[in-house]
């Protein structure tokens, strides 16, 4: 599969601050992206998705931004809480919703 | 609502022994099913996916195999485990079409090959 990677392997933020997790992808044909959150010892959980015909999508305290020009995806978490501490993965898909390719993940540490 | 089960939760097996991990989904019909492996501190590697009973697609060559004997049952097997097979194995399902493409993950199986 195409390469999907993250700029920062770890990110430490203060509780209450905003967090930004970045992801670069190399397949310009990818047209659907998902952000997942994985807590220690558990399976990943869906956070938010975005299609390539959008450049921004908002959820509850989270926003995903997509820049197709530079093939970059970011996840913004507002007012980060201790419960947000986890590993975050981006995953991409190219017109085949049977298969997703995951990046290596970014660990988010929220300091009280 | 839909639920996904995996067992066992943890497993310690010697090199050369066989493996069988099971995954079942409840509350939906004809789901897409997936097996992933996650090495410590790494991302998810797609191993197999299935769009229907008896239909298995392999993503990477390896000594693992998968089977789907029933609509909502997905099994990961090996005849002889290698040390490199250690990892966290995740099963996931998704709707086939017409809804979201989100994958729903099970709790995972931690496999240690000694």
């Amino acid at each position: 599969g195409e390469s999907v990677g993250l700029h920062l392997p770890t990110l430490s933020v203060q509780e209450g601050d905003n967090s930004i997790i970045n992801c670069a992808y190399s397949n310009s044909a990818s047209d659907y992206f998902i952000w997942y959150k994985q807590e220690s010892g558990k399976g990943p959980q869906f956070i938010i998705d975005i299609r390539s015909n959008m450049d921004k999508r908002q959820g509850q305290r989270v926003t995903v931004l997509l820049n197709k020009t530079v093939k970059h995806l970011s996840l913004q978490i507002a007012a980060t809480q201790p419960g947000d501490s986890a590993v975050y993965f981006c995953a991409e898909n190219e017109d085949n919703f049977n298969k997703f390719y995951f990046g290596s993940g970014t660990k988010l540490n929220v300091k009280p | 609502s839909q639920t996904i089960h995996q067992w066992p939760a943890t497993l310690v097996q010697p090199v050369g022994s066989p493996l069988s991990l099971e995954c079942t989904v409840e509350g939906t019909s004809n789901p897409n099913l997936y097996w992933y492996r996650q090495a410590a501190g790494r991302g998810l590697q797609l191993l197999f996916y299935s769009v229907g009973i008896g239909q298995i697609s392999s993503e990477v060559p390896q000594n693992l195999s998968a089977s789907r004997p029933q609509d909502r049952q997905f099994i990961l097997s090996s005849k002889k485990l290698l040390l490199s097979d250690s990892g966290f194995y995740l099963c996931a399902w998704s709707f086939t079409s017409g809804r979201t493409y989100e994958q729903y993950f099970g709790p995972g199986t931690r496999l240690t090959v000694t």
Side-chain angles (χ1 to χ4, degrees):
Chain A
E2 294 291 338
S3 171
V4 179
L6 297 175
H7 292 304
L8 298 173
T10 59
L11 176 66
S12 293
V13 299
Q14 204 70 37
E15 181 179 357
D17 289 350
N18 296 334
S19 302
I20 301 176
I21 301 171
N22 297 302
C23 178
Y25 63 95
S26 57
N27 183 3
S28 57
S30 292
D31 56 7
Y32 182 64
F33 305 86
I34 296 181
W35 279 102
Y36 283 92
K37 172 187 179 182
Q38 185 179 25
E39 297 177 340
S40 181
K42 298 182 179 179
Q45 290 181 298
F46 173 91
I47 300 174
I48 193 168
D49 61 356
I50 189 168
R51 298 182 185 274
S52 60
N53 62 351
M54 304 171 67
D55 53 21
K56 181 179 180 179
R57 190 164 187 219
Q58 289 185 296
Q60 186 177 10
R61 280 203 307 119
V62 296
T63 301
V64 55
L65 299 177
L66 175 62
N67 186 331
K68 295 181 287 295
T69 302
V70 296
K71 290 181 285 187
H72 184 268
L73 193 69
S74 69
L75 176 71
Q76 300 178 0
I77 304 174
T80 313
Q81 302 169 359
D84 294 328
S85 293
V87 177
Y88 291 80
F89 294 96
C90 64
E92 64 160 337
N93 181 281
E94 176 199 344
D95 194 32
N96 179 347
F97 294 102
N98 293 325
K99 298 195 296 184
F100 280 85
Y101 296 99
F102 285 75
S104 57
T106 291
K107 185 174 182 179
L108 177 64
N109 293 319
V110 181
K111 297 176 288 186
Chain B
S1 63
Q2 301 87 12
T3 56
I4 179 168
H5 304 278
Q6 280 187 251
W7 65 91
T10 60
L11 190 60
V12 180
Q13 292 282 99
V15 169
S17 65
L19 173 74
S20 180
L21 302 180
E22 188 163 346
C23 172
T24 59
V25 180
E26 297 177 353
T28 188
S29 298
N30 193 33
N32 292 329
L33 295 171
Y34 310 83
W35 277 113
Y36 290 88
R37 177 170 59 203
Q38 185 176 31
R42 303 291 296 275
L44 281 69
Q45 180 186 31
L46 179 63
L47 301 175
F48 302 95
Y49 70 94
S50 171
V51 299
I53 296 175
Q55 300 180 62
I56 309 294
S57 296
S58 174
E59 282 295 293
V60 292
Q62 59 206 325
N63 69 319
L64 298 171
S65 61
S67 61
R68 184 171 179 174
Q70 301 181 45
D71 180 43
R72 291 169 290 177
Q73 184 184 30
F74 206 23
I75 298 172
L76 184 69
S77 304
S78 174
K79 293 182 179 178
K80 290 185 178 182
L81 284 168
L82 306 173
L83 285 174
S84 58
D85 291 324
S86 293
F88 191 45
Y89 287 82
L90 289 157
C91 180
W93 73 273
S94 68
F95 290 105
T96 303
S97 63
R99 301 181 67 168
T100 72
Y101 301 101
E102 173 186 353
Q103 294 185 358
Y104 300 87
F105 286 83
T109 294
R110 177 79 58 191
L111 172 65
T112 303
V113 182
T114 60

